[in-house]
Amino acid sequence: QRIECFDISNTHGTDAVGSMVVFTEGSPEIAGYRKFSIRSVDGIDDFAMMAEMLRRRIRDGDKLGPLPDLIVLDGGRSHLNAVRKGLENEQGWDMDIVALAKERKDPQSKAQSDQTHAKRPERVFLPDVKDPVPLKSGQPTTHLLTWLRDEAHRFAITFHRGKRIRRTIRSRLDGIQGVGPKRRAAVLQAFGSLDQLTNIPAAEISERAKIPLSVAERVEEYLAKVNPDGET
């Protein structure tokens, strides 16, 4: 009846976020989608991040919608084991949980193309079952599970990208005299990213972000001195 799929997105452990997408009776329930900023995990540890997200989802209970009949994780055996271990002491959950991943490529083989990767079969990992279950291409079950996984992946990446952009703008603009949290937020809302600010004259920055021209001139001057990586 209700399936929830979870995914993690981060850049080398930074700006780590998670996504939860909901399908009801086989169709997306977009109003039920949720985002998570990872709080307790430092560094690169997707397994711990996934476990944290699921613990928070279970603890929040009906605040995030009814608990699902099935949980799908974007990942393999290690993700499944980490989440199950992380939920050992949680009360009130007894739903089924599986993980979905493509078959691994042979590490001894040459690099495979994206097209070859796309053709590798999907596999479902079940709790306490040694071998994963391969999914047949073109089957309704395969279509539903991969649709779920792709939605969770898209939602996580979109949230992660936005969070990274906001952090970059904060770190790049915080040192400019006259730019505090409110003006920084105004610049972010007006332009979306620092890339959109490149070569924009101060007068336009001032007008669109509703900040004083003198402050906009300092923003323009600062951005003219840095390269795309933020280095002077």
Side-chain angles (χ1 to χ4, degrees), residues 104-119:
R104 292 181 179 179
K105 67 181 181 181
D106 184 354
Q108 302 300 323
S109 66
K110 296 181 179 179
Q112 297 180 343
S113 66
D114 291 341
Q115 184 175 4
T116 302
H117 173 79
K119 291 181 179 179

Side-chain angles (χ1 to χ4, degrees), residues 211-232:
I211 62 175
L213 179 59
S214 59
V215 175
E217 288 172 344
R218 286 194 287 271
V219 172
E220 180 188 24
E221 181 181 1
Y222 172 78
L223 292 176
K225 293 179 180 179
V226 299
N227 63 26
D229 294 324
E231 298 173 346
T232 304

Side-chain angles (χ1 to χ4, degrees), residues 6-18 36-56 79 82-83:
F6 297 82
D7 190 19
I8 292 291
S9 182
N10 64 90
T11 302
H12 304 297
T14 63
D15 302 315
V17 301
F36 297 81
S37 290
I38 301 303
R39 303 169 180 169
S40 65
V41 182
D42 294 323
I44 305 173
D45 192 340
D46 284 9
F47 309 136
M49 293 177 187
M50 187 76 81
E52 178 198 318
M53 179 168 51
L54 266 294
R55 282 195 301 271
R56 288 165 57 188
H79 291 85
V83 168

Side-chain angles (χ1 to χ4, degrees), residues 23 46 74 77 79 85 89 112 117 139 146 176 189 205 211:
F23 276 35
D46 284 9
D74 183 3
R77 173 74 62 199
H79 291 85
K85 183 173 179 60
N89 298 321
Q112 297 180 343
H117 173 79
Q139 295 298 310
T146 54
I176 302 176
Q189 184 174 3
I205 296 174
I211 62 175

